[in-house]
Amino acid sequence: MNDVILYTIITLGGIGAISAVILYFVAQKFKVFEDPRIDEVEEALPSANCGGCGYPGCRNFAEACVKTDDLSTLFCPVGGNDTMGAVASVLGMTVDAKEPQVAVLLCNGSSANRKRTSEFDSAANCTIAANTYGGDTDCTHGCLGLGECVDACGFDAMYMDKETGLPVVIEDACTACGACVEACPKDLFQLRNKGKKSKRIYVSCMNTDKGAPAKKACDVACIGCSKCFKECKYDAITMANNKAYIDYNACVLCRACVSVCPTGAIHEINFPLRKAKPAKKEGEATTKPVTKAEPKVNLVEKAKEATPKAEPKKEEAPKADEKKENNNEDKSSNNE
Amino acid sequence: MLKTFPVGGVHPPENKFSKGKKIETLPLPKTVTIPTGQHIGAPTKVVVKRGDEVKVGQLIAQAGGFVSANIHSSVSGKVKKIDEVFDSSGYRRTSIIIDVAGDEWMETIDRSDELKKDITLSKEEIVKKVSEMGIVGLGGATFPSHVKLSIPDGKKAEHLVINAVECEPYLTADHQLMMEKGEEIMVGISVLMKATGVNKAIIGIENNKPDAIEHLTKLSNNYNGIEVVALKVQYPQGGEKQLIKAVLNREVPSGGLPLDVGCVVQNVGTAFAVYEAVQKNKPLFERVVSVTGKSVKQPSNFMVRVGTSTDVLIEAAGGLPEDTGKVVSGGPMMGKALSRTDVPITKGSSGVLIFKEEESKREKINPCIRCAKCVTVCPMGLEPYLLMTVTEKQNYEKVEEERALDCIECGSCSYTCPATRPLLDYIRLGKAEVGKIIRQRNQK
Amino acid sequence: MGNFLKVSLSPHVHGGNSVKKEMYGVILAMIPAMLVGFYFFGLDAVRVTAISVLAAVGFEYLIQKFLIKGEPTITDGSAIITGMLFAFNMPSNLPIWIILIGVLVAIGVGKMTFGGLGQNPFNPALVGRVFLLVSFPVQMTTWPKISVLNFSMVDAETAATPLALIKEGLKNGESLSSLMEKIPSTLDMMIGHVGGSLGEVSAIAILLGGAFLLFKKIISWHIPVTMLGTIAVFSGILHFANPEAYAGPLFHLFTGGAMLGAVFMATDMVTSPMTHKGMIIFGIGIGVLTVLIRVFGAYPEGVSFAILIMNAFVPLINTYVKPKRFGEVKK
């Protein structure tokens, strides 16, 4: 009996010792030198592995950061300036702060604004639909509403609004990683600077058709009339392909273009309501550094707001408008 | 034992309602909309402008390169405008809109019915003529024909294979053309043989058209080197590669062309168009189109001028039925569903199919039960279930490795899938993405 | 919605085949074998079959509804097939509680844990059967003596299956020729006049179902033919080498679950390879393993184990065995 125990101990102990020796030499032999700073940098990164920086994952980005002499070309959109600052401090470099960005949808062709003309009945995938035909409305540039962007978003920052049939970006959750920009086959997403107090003005349309067919296909299309272009005093608006584009760097958020747009294609986001409470403007702005994002309300409201301007016939629209206004009032007072 | 291709294939119900219906010539429409891109390849350059008077057969858009095809006016009248108009792709494309006035043809076109058998042009002249007259493959792919006829140095064609299979269900345009224009087709094939320098032509016809087989066999006795081969009914026998395999038992290598195995394949309708172009000097501006479907009142075969609105054809076949759910341009297996019926007929439209609401509905997508039926029916020896899965996962390297680019998009997999999975939808997506990746790679 | 034209990708027609049609086709094909089982094993067989089918459908419904919280899938017929196949593999005198445990393992562990129909790597009915075989070896190998149309419901006598008889006999040193006299004739085995699980006894009824499946193109010939062929050839070689130690090919083909396995279980779409070449490899593998287990293994019957082992190889086969690509350049 004692023999058995003894032999067992000897064999197992022997195997253990030999393995340890082998492992030690193997570890020495195959030792790979790795810059310890890579780990440190990786630590500072958000570990989302979203690819928003242009590298496949956070570790690759960290390697790139360690290798480079100049951090200005590298940016982690998810972590933003704080993260980049941390990375820079690890590496003993400095980095300039970048304007935070957010993804915006450049289409407002909700089911109310855009008449459907056919029905897509294949695999529910935007790219498949876009490869097949122009889309289920007469606008061949607009959102197909099949939600590939929502699937692509790795931060749950998007959802499909059933009512409008359009995706909605939840601003607070959006990290501007650019996955939706990549995913959309119609190129309807753009990363824009978040802007002062998250206020943004942009043309929410990608329709490059001429005015008449564009307007016929969608009530809120940019028809390329150039009114905003003429109105803008800061040269922030350019016209190309029957469509206006607002440069977010040049725009001073004066909102002159918004009021002249005949179709309501220009959106203003996170501005306080104009006529209802002009006095609130400053108060809200100071007490609300990060605007509470309610894009759903905003978008719908903008759509509804735009329609009566263009087509005063519609009776329902103003009613809905009032409701939304009330909602908004409640909210802003709460915020105060 | 009838010949056919050995791997895969399905046999959908034929539903050839317009079979045996004489080809009717439609009255001239009031306006035509002629898209400037009706072929595969480089876009064309418009050579007319607004307000120009044009005649039937006049060049209105010029080929924009070697792989491109001229476009001729199909009517006489005045160019109303050149605008972006919806075509069958569902996108707005540049089109020439002409208001029809009278029916004045170019003087150069021989309009007599007389059969012109003697081939006076030389090999090079024929290819040039085919190119000038804007002939494209009429089977549906619309590949410019003169490209196929220009055989590059170092390659040699041995056989001309004429595709008279019409394996798509419903369609009867080619069948009817063979019955009515047999002689012309024979001359057209002789012209094609001369152009490619081959002395053997094989016409492959599926066994469900015994009258056409008999008719053409009888005619072929008077022409040197033309043979008619009856084939077993099997979809997709009309695919180039499958047809060559069926009639000659040669396998076109993956990524290769029929010429790699010494073959040139042309559609029977193209042969007729070549006859008219070379012997009668008539550009390609009209074609036979089947208008058919279970609910269509008068399924018909029409001779249609290019640019005629699909609406006009449907009206002539008894109007759009109430319960229509889908209108398809082309055959049921490979055709394109139209999002609107006012799109123009182009050179590549072989048929207009009208499906009832209940026929057009796709069934719910069920999970794959791994029954392997898609693998069994794939004529290219691919694994559609796998291609769909890896495409869904966006693993495009694997998609390429599994040879998605070999897919001929015949649709046999989706047709046969018991779980009604949209296999081909995803394979197409995979192909498109892999194509993009390869293009990027080649640029580097 | 009816006013809009539908736009979809080609093909615009569908063959009309559906999962339901495939599944109910298989069920139809199993009915002859089931009726033969009822004929020879009486009401007990009806009881076992009914309980396992109901339990299979019930368990799937409950799991789908309360655990997965998905759409109910019981109407597709696959649970019924699992239930029937499970019953086919049971001795007809099995107590109800054992059946219930077995079905729960089959549906719960064998199928639903992997995500339901189409996802399971192993044949669910066999998972259930093998679970019971190792957990309740006594009950699972006590076979009722067959008594034609016995509806008396009294506990019938028990008898060993031919395979068990031979295995035990050889172990005890009896000669094969003397043992062969004890077992029923080949003709009896083909009809089903032999002890065993309730669905596996009649080769003719099973082959009838197999012919129906082949005719309907629900299965292809590759798996059953290669599997039975391999069993015949392999056991034939052994028999030829030493006729006194090893039984002949006919015996191996017509006893036990060889037929049932070849026609209904190895051909299960979900757990068999996707290519014809792969199916042939799969069939040969099952054949070899079956004979090996029967002749050299501890258990008298090896079809279930053989199929499960080969099921495990299916992903590997699918990865490495590809169909012949059209136009592939030979290297």
Side-chain angles (χ1 to χ4, degrees):
Chain A
M1 196 64 194
N2 280 337
D3 283 356
V4 175
I5 295 171
L6 195 67
Y7 285 133
T8 313
I9 290 170
I10 290 171
T11 350
L12 287 179
I15 291 172
I18 294 168
S19 305
V21 170
I22 293 174
L23 277 176
Y24 174 76
F25 281 107
V26 169
Q28 286 296 315
K29 172 95 182 152
F30 293 104
K31 197 169 189 177
V32 177
F33 174 76
E34 207 163 40
D35 197 327
R37 289 182 303 167
I38 294 177
D39 286 327
E40 283 175 56
V41 173
E42 198 185 359
E43 200 86 326
L45 294 173
S47 316
N49 291 317
C50 64
C53 52
Y55 291 88
C58 289
R59 181 147 192 105
N60 306 64
F61 181 70
E63 282 167 17
C65 286
V66 171
K67 262 183 222 152
T68 185
D69 302 325
D70 178 21
L71 279 177
S72 63
T73 53
L74 297 163
F75 188 71
C76 172
V78 178
N81 290 325
D82 296 347
T83 300
M84 288 316 289
V87 170
S89 68
V90 168
L91 299 173
M93 286 190 259
T94 51
V95 65
D96 297 333
K98 273 196 183 145
E99 192 81 25
Q101 291 195 314
V102 68
V104 291
L105 172 67
L106 303 184
C107 176
N108 193 22
S110 61
S111 31
N113 294 332
R114 210 159 44 135
K115 235 182 30 240
R116 272 180 90 188
T117 52
S118 62
E119 189 187 337
F120 188 64
D121 187 28
S122 283
N125 177 298
C126 294
T127 315
I128 291 178
N131 289 349
T132 313
Y133 77 134
D136 61 359
T137 65
D138 277 354
C139 173
T140 58
H141 306 273
C143 176
L144 295 160
L146 298 170
E148 210 170 318
C149 45
V150 178
D151 294 340
C153 185
F155 298 93
D156 288 337
M158 251 186 233
Y159 63 94
M160 289 302 291
D161 187 335
K162 291 228 170 63
E163 207 176 307
T164 58
L166 296 174
V168 176
V169 182
I170 303 165
E171 274 177 50
D172 288 350
C174 178
T175 57
C177 69
C180 50
V181 181
E182 280 285 308
C184 182
K186 298 274 187 190
D187 293 333
L188 292 176
F189 282 99
Q190 196 197 4
L191 297 179
R192 292 182 75 99
N193 281 358
K194 250 189 176 155
K196 271 179 225 148
K197 327 273 191 262
S198 277
K199 289 179 191 167
R200 292 187 298 282
I201 296 179
Y202 59 95
V203 182
S204 182
C205 183
M206 288 293 275
N207 195 326
T208 54
D209 292 340
K210 282 178 199 153
K215 181 79 176 80
K216 212 176 149 199
C218 179
D219 290 341
V220 292
C222 172
I223 54 173
C225 65
S226 299
K227 275 189 185 156
C228 51
F229 174 67
K230 285 168 201 149
E231 191 71 23
C232 186
K233 297 185 193 92
Y234 306 93
D235 291 337
I237 299 181
T238 44
M239 298 297 304
N241 297 326
N242 297 317
K243 176 169 81 65
Y245 174 74
I246 302 177
D247 180 2
Y248 48 81
N249 290 320
C251 179
V252 298
L253 305 175
C254 71
R255 295 196 281 169
C257 50
V258 182
S259 39
V260 296
C261 182
T263 58
I266 303 181
H267 280 198
E268 43 174 47
I269 292 280
N270 294 328
F271 281 91
L273 277 172
R274 290 175 176 225
K275 284 155 207 168
K277 307 254 166 159
K280 283 215 165 165
K281 212 171 175 177
E282 287 161 50
E284 191 190 37
T286 42
T287 52
K288 244 176 80 182
V290 181
T291 316
K292 178 119 187 346
E294 277 291 339
K296 184 180 169 186
V297 176
N298 269 325
L299 276 178
V300 175
E301 182 191 279
K302 288 286 144 20
K304 293 279 161 61
E305 205 177 350
T307 26
K309 262 187 232 161
E311 278 179 76
K313 300 170 241 170
K314 277 195 185 170
E315 283 181 50
E316 282 176 25
K319 273 181 208 162
D321 207 17
E322 277 167 29
K323 256 183 227 162
K324 292 278 152 55
E325 270 179 27
N326 292 337
N327 281 345
N328 231 33
E329 272 175 35
D330 293 342
K331 247 165 232 150
S332 36
S333 40
N334 284 344
N335 285 331
E336 277 187 356
Chain B
M1 190 60 183
L2 287 167
K3 284 183 176 177
T4 188
F5 60 97
V7 182
V10 290
H11 185 186
E14 282 160 29
N15 291 330
K16 305 249 185 193
F17 301 114
S18 50
K19 192 165 164 178
K21 295 271 163 57
K22 283 261 172 304
I23 299 174
E24 292 170 53
T25 307
L26 273 189
L28 285 172
K30 288 201 181 72
T31 58
V32 291
T33 306
I34 304 177
T36 55
Q38 300 187 22
H39 51 81
I40 291 179
T44 54
K45 286 195 288 285
V46 180
V47 293
V48 289
K49 54 183 193 302
R50 192 176 160 173
D52 281 2
E53 296 281 345
V54 292
K55 288 180 187 170
V56 178
Q58 188 180 327
L59 184 74
I60 52 175
Q62 198 163 23
F66 178 60
V67 186
S68 185
N70 287 341
I71 289 167
H72 302 80
S73 173
S74 60
V75 292
S76 63
K78 203 177 198 176
V79 177
K80 190 179 167 193
K81 59 179 171 180
I82 296 160
D83 200 1
E84 307 238 304
V85 178
F86 277 109
D87 73 356
S88 57
S89 69
Y91 280 96
R92 287 175 201 273
R93 297 276 153 83
T94 311
S95 305
I96 301 164
I97 300 156
I98 303 171
D99 277 329
V100 180
D103 195 19
E104 196 188 332
W105 290 42
M106 296 288 282
E107 296 76 27
T108 46
I109 302 172
D110 177 3
R111 293 186 68 181
S112 67
D113 279 341
E114 180 196 348
L115 181 73
K116 204 172 148 211
K117 270 186 149 177
D118 306 323
I119 305 166
T120 49
L121 298 183
S122 73
K123 197 172 158 175
E124 287 72 27
E125 283 169 332
I126 294 172
V127 177
K128 195 162 162 255
K129 199 79 179 175
V130 168
S131 153
E132 267 172 25
M133 294 300 165
I135 310 289
V136 298
L138 295 184
T142 63
F143 191 75
S145 295
H146 64 95
V147 182
K148 273 193 192 173
L149 295 179
S150 322
I151 293 171
D153 294 334
K155 295 243 167 117
K156 198 180 166 333
E158 298 162 36
H159 292 91
L160 176 67
V161 180
I162 298 296
N163 184 351
V165 168
E166 202 157 54
C167 59
E168 281 267 15
Y170 290 91
L171 301 185
T172 56
D174 286 354
H175 184 186
Q176 203 50 37
L177 192 72
M178 286 189 274
M179 294 310 291
E180 293 183 24
K181 308 278 184 190
E183 288 276 0
E184 286 86 344
I185 290 170
M186 286 297 167
V187 180
I189 294 172
S190 308
V191 171
L192 286 170
M193 285 164 72
K194 188 168 178 185
T196 47
V198 304
N199 42 27
K200 242 186 124 180
I202 302 165
I203 309 177
I205 309 180
E206 278 192 349
N207 204 24
N208 56 358
K209 297 179 263 291
D211 47 347
I213 296 174
E214 198 186 328
H215 183 58
L216 291 192
T217 313
K218 215 183 287 166
L219 290 174
S220 68
N221 295 334
N222 307 330
Y223 294 87
N224 264 344
I226 302 182
E227 187 197 342
V228 177
V229 176
L231 300 166
K232 195 181 150 206
V233 183
Q234 181 96 315
Y235 178 86
Q237 196 138 240
E240 249 178 14
K241 295 177 176 183
Q242 274 64 38
L243 186 63
I244 294 172
K245 181 82 185 166
V247 297
L248 289 167
N249 197 22
R250 295 185 187 183
E251 214 162 276
V252 181
S254 164
L257 293 171
L259 206 53
D260 294 337
V261 290
C263 292
V264 174
V265 184
Q266 292 285 358
N267 184 270
V268 66
T270 318
F272 177 68
V274 165
Y275 163 80
E276 290 205 310
V278 176
Q279 302 293 82
K280 299 276 189 178
N281 222 3
K282 184 183 155 194
L284 179 59
F285 59 74
E286 57 181 1
R287 66 159 296 146
V288 185
V289 179
S290 307
V291 182
T292 176
K294 280 183 184 153
S295 56
V296 175
K297 286 201 191 79
Q298 300 137 21
S300 326
N301 300 304
F302 293 120
M303 183 62 94
V304 186
R305 301 282 174 94
V306 166
T308 308
S309 168
T310 308
D311 277 334
V312 176
L313 268 75
I314 296 173
E315 217 43 60
L320 195 68
E322 273 289 292
D323 58 349
T324 300
K326 195 190 272 183
V327 178
V328 173
S329 161
M333 296 298 281
M334 290 187 75
K336 234 175 149 24
L338 301 178
S339 55
R340 46 204 304 145
T341 54
D342 57 357
V343 298
I345 293 290
T346 60
K347 291 176 185 177
S349 320
S350 48
V352 175
L353 293 186
I354 294 168
F355 286 107
K356 287 191 267 189
E357 179 80 36
E358 68 258 28
E359 288 174 282
S360 48
K361 203 172 169 293
R362 281 203 179 187
E363 293 293 322
K364 197 177 132 254
I365 301 170
N366 290 309
C368 174
I369 55 166
R370 309 175 64 77
C371 66
K373 291 210 161 51
C374 53
V375 182
T376 313
V377 299
C378 181
M380 298 307 288
L382 306 174
E383 292 163 285
Y385 81 97
L386 183 65
L387 290 173
M388 174 172 173
T389 318
V390 288
T391 306
E392 265 183 317
K393 289 180 185 153
Q394 308 193 342
N395 185 355
Y396 296 122
E397 275 166 40
K398 184 84 176 157
V399 176
E400 191 188 351
E401 198 182 298
E402 293 293 339
R403 308 177 71 155
L405 293 182
D406 279 358
C407 172
I408 58 168
E409 304 186 13
C410 67
S412 299
C413 47
S414 295
Y415 173 84
T416 199
C417 180
T420 49
R421 292 174 76 71
L423 294 161
L424 185 54
D425 295 8
Y426 278 95
I427 296 175
R428 278 211 184 90
L429 173 65
K431 277 178 78 173
E433 296 294 325
V434 168
K436 242 185 258 169
I437 292 167
I438 290 179
R439 249 170 281 142
Q440 276 169 10
R441 199 187 301 153
N442 290 346
Q443 271 170 15
K444 271 176 196 166
Chain C
M1 297 247 171
N3 307 329
F4 302 126
L5 285 181
K6 285 198 172 67
V7 177
S8 66
L9 279 80
S10 64
H12 304 290
V13 284
H14 187 262
N17 204 350
S18 72
V19 176
K20 264 188 197 173
K21 275 188 193 170
E22 302 256 311
M23 293 300 169
Y24 287 106
V26 176
I27 292 172
L28 212 59
M30 288 197 291
I31 284 177
M34 185 176 79
L35 291 179
V36 171
F38 290 173
Y39 178 78
F40 285 120
F41 298 107
L43 267 187
D44 269 347
V46 180
R47 178 189 58 121
V48 171
T49 314
I51 288 172
S52 34
V53 169
L54 286 177
V57 174
F59 284 137
E60 178 158 331
Y61 177 78
L62 293 175
I63 291 171
Q64 189 70 250
K65 181 150 191 196
F66 294 109
L67 291 178
I68 299 179
K69 298 195 172 72
E71 272 179 63
T73 51
I74 46 167
T75 48
D76 64 21
S78 64
I80 302 177
I81 293 181
T82 305
M84 281 176 85
L85 269 181
F86 181 81
F88 278 17
N89 278 301
M90 295 297 126
S92 58
N93 55 356
L94 207 63
I96 293 176
W97 61 275
I98 294 185
I99 300 176
L100 289 179
I101 291 174
V103 174
L104 184 61
V105 171
I107 292 287
V109 178
K111 185 176 173 191
M112 302 313 281
T113 32
F114 296 101
L117 179 61
Q119 317 290 331
N120 47 307
F122 299 104
N123 190 325
L126 287 181
V127 171
R129 179 199 141 93
V130 167
F131 176 79
L132 291 188
L133 193 62
V134 293
S135 311
F136 308 100
V138 178
Q139 288 91 332
M140 285 297 287
T141 47
T142 314
W143 315 93
K145 196 169 182 182
I146 49 164
S147 49
V148 174
L149 286 177
N150 172 14
F151 292 112
S152 61
M153 283 297 264
V154 289
D155 278 349
E157 293 174 72
T158 58
T161 60
L163 278 167
L165 214 68
I166 300 259
K167 191 123 205 162
E168 281 301 308
L170 286 173
K171 217 190 262 171
N172 297 337
E174 290 181 55
S175 77
L176 188 71
S177 46
S178 66
L179 283 169
M180 287 306 270
E181 281 163 18
K182 287 191 196 164
I183 64 166
S185 69
T186 309
L187 183 69
D188 269 350
M189 290 199 284
M190 282 172 78
I191 296 167
H193 202 264
V194 55
S197 297
L198 72 88
E200 70 182 19
V201 288
S202 170
I204 290 179
I206 292 170
L207 286 177
L208 199 71
F212 174 77
L213 290 179
L214 279 175
F215 171 73
K216 280 274 177 193
K217 291 193 176 160
I218 294 173
I219 61 170
S220 70
W221 59 267
H222 301 80
I223 293 175
V225 169
T226 49
M227 174 178 160
L228 294 176
T230 311
I231 292 180
V233 171
F234 192 28
S235 61
I237 292 170
L238 290 175
H239 181 65
F240 183 74
N242 187 355
E244 268 307 297
Y246 306 113
L250 278 181
F251 173 80
H252 275 291
L253 284 182
F254 291 115
T255 52
M259 282 290 161
L260 181 69
V263 173
F264 290 119
M265 293 190 298
T267 56
D268 172 32
M269 303 155 191
V270 180
T271 55
S272 60
M274 299 297 276
T275 59
H276 289 166
K277 262 188 269 175
M279 288 176 188
I280 290 171
I281 296 172
F282 183 70
I284 292 174
I286 295 175
V288 170
L289 284 172
T290 301
V291 177
L292 280 178
I293 297 172
R294 279 184 179 181
V295 175
F296 303 108
Y299 282 93
E301 173 59 309
V303 174
S304 316
F305 292 109
I307 293 176
L308 285 177
I309 291 169
M310 286 313 286
N311 280 165
F313 280 99
V314 166
L316 202 67
I317 294 175
N318 281 340
T319 311
Y320 289 104
V321 182
K322 295 286 168 193
K324 194 202 163 289
R325 312 289 202 206
F326 188 96
E328 192 165 36
V329 189
K330 287 187 191 89
K331 278 171 194 163

